[in-house]
Amino acid sequence: MQRYSGFALAKHALSHHENWERQWRNPTPKKAYDVIIVGGGGHGLATAYYLAKEFGVKNVAVIEKGWLGGGNTARNTTIVRSNYLWDEAAALYEHSMKLWEGLSQDLNYNVMFSQRGVLNLGHTLQDMRDIQRRVNANRLNGVDGEVLDAKGVQEIVPILDCSKNARYPVLGASWQPRGGVARHDAVAWGFARGADAHGVDILQQTEVTGFKIRDGRIYGVHTNRGDIEAKTVGCVTAGNSGVMAKMAGIKLPLESHPLQALVSEPLKPVLDTVVMSNHVHGYISQSDKGDLVIGAGIDGYNGYGQRGSYTTVEHTLQAIVEMFPIFSRVRMNRQWGGIVDTCPDACPILSKTDVKGLYFNCGWGTGGFKATPGSGHAFAASLAKGEMHPLAAPFSIDRFHSGALIDEHGAAGVAH
Amino acid sequence: MFHIYCPYCEEWREEEEFHAKGQAHIQRPLDPESCSDEEWGDYLFFRDNPRGIHHELWVHAVGCRKFFNITRNTQSYVILETYKMGEQPRFTAENPNGESQGGAASADLDSQTASVQEARA
């Protein structure tokens, strides 16, 4: 792998930047691999990267039916935070946060991780009680956090309407200074380039059409480019996980919903942090390019259409204008939808299945991007050892029968 | 924006008036106390989530406030039919064209399907 550096940049300037090598190969599929990862999004590529780099499993294929990071990885609103309420969730997301903090150096790829802080606003007394409880829990778990009053919020975000006359007055917020944003497609590309450099085959335009299962054990996949064998298969297919599980004869407690986001025209710097509101229901940040990046809740119905409804966009923008009257005349540039696999307890599934050797990493719902490195790392450790990593173990699919749910509905910064 | 025919109001109304309430035809176990953890968990949490024809429970929240069912394609978002609680769907994954089986399809349903097709055209 050609390393990226200031020196390399100067050297390639001499040849007008025409001789940079491709970031990853485009190999033809081998007959067999040690591990197959289904799904070339952020989580899948991160899993492959850590498998090859940290766990010594280099004979790995990532199978992607479209192009890398073409699904939710490049459709989310890029927010990274780890202020989850319950111990199990906080441990997993904080593990991820620690990996984020060294990710650009580790990958030798600028993922533009910017720790500009995340505010979760409280608009009611109950909001504030929940925020206090969550921040206290975070601190006990070693996750940074502060409770701010309205004055403290106003100091951080002067353009936020914190007046008492607001329809839903801002009473305060939780503040995680280590939270922030990252450039989402660079995350997919960085992991892909790193995985490729460690020998992982990334097979794009290759669709898994079925699993080869015999005597309750997996031994490969059918694809549109022929059968590929592997004794360990990790399925990391987000919104499509239910469809994949059905192919393997497994049922998952997931429902796939459209989740939309939108960006405005580029503006001068006006908002230098991330603001989320559970109560008026919207979240917003400003990208380095200058556009406001806006999102909110899912569409209520199941759907695979990768587009959202007008009503949801309208509600989202009502919430944003309620909080930021200054943005009332900003024009929106683009709007899109992704399909998120929501779980009943708003926590992911990282689990073995009834089919030996077949693992699922899914159910991240509306908040998977922030977990990309941690999810990949814990899942890779589990695939390499054949035993779920301690951080992943509580997220077993068995919890929906045992009752040991990890209910993060209240702690997610935004209600869903 | 969906345009939804409420089978109780017998009118076409905008999506804003309705809320989706998840998969239809889920029956609560008759005797929950005698359920195994497996059966109870399946009832509470596990859903079909198909890519294609799906039966959903909706409520006409700011209209008649009654619950009813919709058969909808989750890929194309086409609504194939709406029907009252207690009725069975005419369009299913096994019978995507809604061909009447045994000729018992009601005239009401036929006229509604015709107007669905009209709306689609």
Side-chain angles (χ1 to χ4, degrees):
Chain A
M1 180 179 81
Q2 240 171 23
R3 283 189 68 79
Y4 295 153
S5 65
F7 177 73
L9 198 64
K11 194 180 112 195
H12 279 276
L14 298 175
S15 55
H16 306 283
H17 297 293
E18 285 173 357
N19 295 319
W20 289 100
E21 72 176 17
R22 287 194 173 271
Q23 297 192 10
W24 52 82
R25 297 162 296 132
N26 191 15
T28 41
K30 287 195 261 179
K31 282 254 175 314
Y33 292 89
D34 291 341
V35 176
I36 288 175
I37 307 293
V38 184
H43 289 238
L45 292 165
T47 306
Y49 172 74
Y50 289 117
L51 264 176
K53 180 178 170 255
E54 301 215 352
F55 302 104
V57 186
K58 298 197 188 281
N59 189 19
V60 177
V62 177
I63 302 182
E64 165 58 45
K65 77 172 172 182
W67 65 95
L68 298 185
N72 296 346
T73 302
R75 291 166 194 263
N76 60 70
T77 48
T78 78
I79 298 168
V80 176
R81 60 187 176 87
S82 61
N83 53 355
Y84 279 70
L85 175 66
W86 299 104
D87 296 352
E88 298 86 351
L92 184 58
Y93 288 102
E94 180 60 19
H95 178 56
S96 195
M97 178 65 89
K98 291 201 173 107
L99 290 170
W100 275 113
E101 287 174 328
L103 195 62
S104 289
Q105 286 74 21
D106 184 37
L107 294 174
N108 180 232
Y109 205 99
N110 187 5
V111 299
M112 296 169 74
F113 180 49
S114 159
Q115 292 180 295
R116 56 185 65 185
V118 174
L119 282 167
N120 293 108
L121 302 181
H123 300 268
T124 65
L125 289 176
Q126 187 59 45
D127 275 359
M128 291 313 296
R129 287 185 204 110
D130 290 342
I131 282 170
Q132 266 157 9
R133 179 187 178 203
R134 180 160 49 78
V135 169
N136 286 335
N138 289 160
R139 289 184 160 202
L140 289 172
N141 277 319
V143 178
D144 62 321
E146 277 174 60
V147 180
L148 302 178
D149 59 10
K151 199 164 151 273
V153 175
Q154 188 80 84
E155 273 170 24
I156 293 173
V157 190
I159 58 169
L160 181 68
D161 181 6
C162 292
S163 70
K164 289 207 168 62
N165 294 329
R167 173 71 182 82
Y168 302 102
V170 174
L171 300 185
S174 76
W175 169 238
Q176 188 184 18
R178 280 160 72 238
V181 293
R183 184 177 174 210
H184 48 197
D185 33 21
V187 174
W189 300 334
F191 275 122
R193 174 167 166 269
D196 181 86
H198 285 100
V200 172
D201 278 1
I202 297 168
L203 310 172
Q204 296 181 76
Q205 312 269 306
T206 308
E207 182 171 359
V208 170
T209 52
F211 294 103
K212 297 167 80 167
I213 296 167
R214 197 171 43 207
D215 303 329
R217 187 172 212 314
I218 194 146
Y219 64 100
V221 295
H222 303 291
T223 78
N224 59 351
R225 292 168 78 183
D227 291 2
I228 306 175
E229 292 192 3
K231 292 222 162 66
T232 304
V233 176
C235 197
V236 198
T237 50
N240 257 322
S241 296
V243 178
M244 300 305 292
K246 204 170 175 191
M247 283 183 196
I250 302 164
K251 251 188 129 178
L252 294 174
L254 299 177
E255 289 200 290
S256 296
H257 289 270
L259 175 66
Q260 327 187 49
L262 56 166
V263 293
S264 74
E265 58 191 351
L267 309 174
K268 295 269 185 183
V270 63
L271 183 63
D272 64 356
T273 184
V274 182
V275 180
M276 312 179 72
S277 167
N278 190 336
H279 200 82
V280 300
H281 206 182
Y283 40 88
I284 185 166
S285 65
Q286 188 175 23
S287 75
D288 290 349
K289 206 165 62 182
D291 28 16
L292 300 173
V293 184
I294 296 166
I298 55 174
D299 284 4
Y301 48 81
N302 286 25
Y304 287 88
Q306 292 193 313
R307 60 187 180 273
S309 67
Y310 299 114
T311 46
T312 306
V313 171
E314 192 177 359
H315 290 168
T316 304
L317 290 177
Q318 280 167 355
I320 296 302
V321 172
E322 164 70 23
M323 292 189 283
F324 297 95
I326 189 176
F327 293 150
S328 65
R329 293 199 296 169
V330 172
R331 285 167 297 188
M332 292 300 137
N333 217 356
R334 292 180 292 123
Q335 168 268 346
W336 62 90
I339 303 308
V340 297
D341 42 338
T342 57
C343 228
D345 60 356
C347 266
I349 295 170
L350 293 96
S351 184
K352 295 182 175 187
T353 63
D354 290 340
V355 179
K356 208 162 175 253
L358 177 63
Y359 298 74
F360 268 84
N361 180 353
C362 58
W364 290 93
T366 58
F369 176 70
K370 66 176 84 66
T372 304
S375 148
H377 191 267
F379 197 52
S382 311
L383 293 180
K385 289 200 181 124
E387 275 308 315
M388 295 316 287
H389 186 272
L391 285 174
F395 297 93
S396 158
I397 193 167
D398 295 340
R399 71 182 191 270
F400 297 99
H401 289 127
S402 72
L405 302 184
I406 307 162
D407 184 4
E408 283 289 355
H409 276 287
V414 165
H416 292 114
Chain B
M1 172 84 72
F2 293 142
H3 205 201
I4 297 172
Y5 180 82
C6 173
Y8 292 100
C9 300
E10 300 183 342
E11 278 181 41
W12 294 86
R13 311 297 298 222
E14 284 184 4
E15 178 188 340
E16 278 272 81
E17 293 190 11
F18 301 87
H19 289 307
K21 290 287 177 188
Q23 186 177 327
H25 303 295
I26 293 175
Q27 289 197 350
R28 184 182 165 90
L30 289 173
D31 183 10
E33 297 296 323
S34 68
C35 278
S36 65
D37 288 352
E38 196 83 16
E39 287 164 340
W40 187 245
D42 281 352
Y43 159 68
L44 282 182
F45 300 122
F46 286 74
R47 298 292 178 262
D48 286 344
N49 200 23
R51 181 193 271 271
I53 289 183
H54 191 36
H55 307 289
E56 299 172 325
L57 183 66
W58 285 65
V59 59
H60 195 177
V62 296
C64 62
R65 298 170 70 186
K66 284 187 175 140
F67 286 81
F68 63 97
N69 297 319
I70 293 184
T71 304
R72 197 173 58 86
N73 187 312
T74 58
Q75 177 74 52
S76 67
Y77 292 1
V78 169
I79 294 173
L80 295 163
E81 63 181 330
T82 61
Y83 53 101
K84 292 178 182 172
M85 298 302 293
E87 293 180 352
Q88 288 303 309
R90 174 173 157 186
F91 297 83
T92 58
E94 296 76 34
N95 181 19
N97 296 319
E99 278 141 17
S100 57
Q101 292 168 342
S106 72
D108 265 8
L109 219 53
D110 281 334
S111 67
Q112 196 200 318
T113 313
S115 43
V116 168
Q117 277 156 359
E118 208 172 282
R120 254 189 279 166

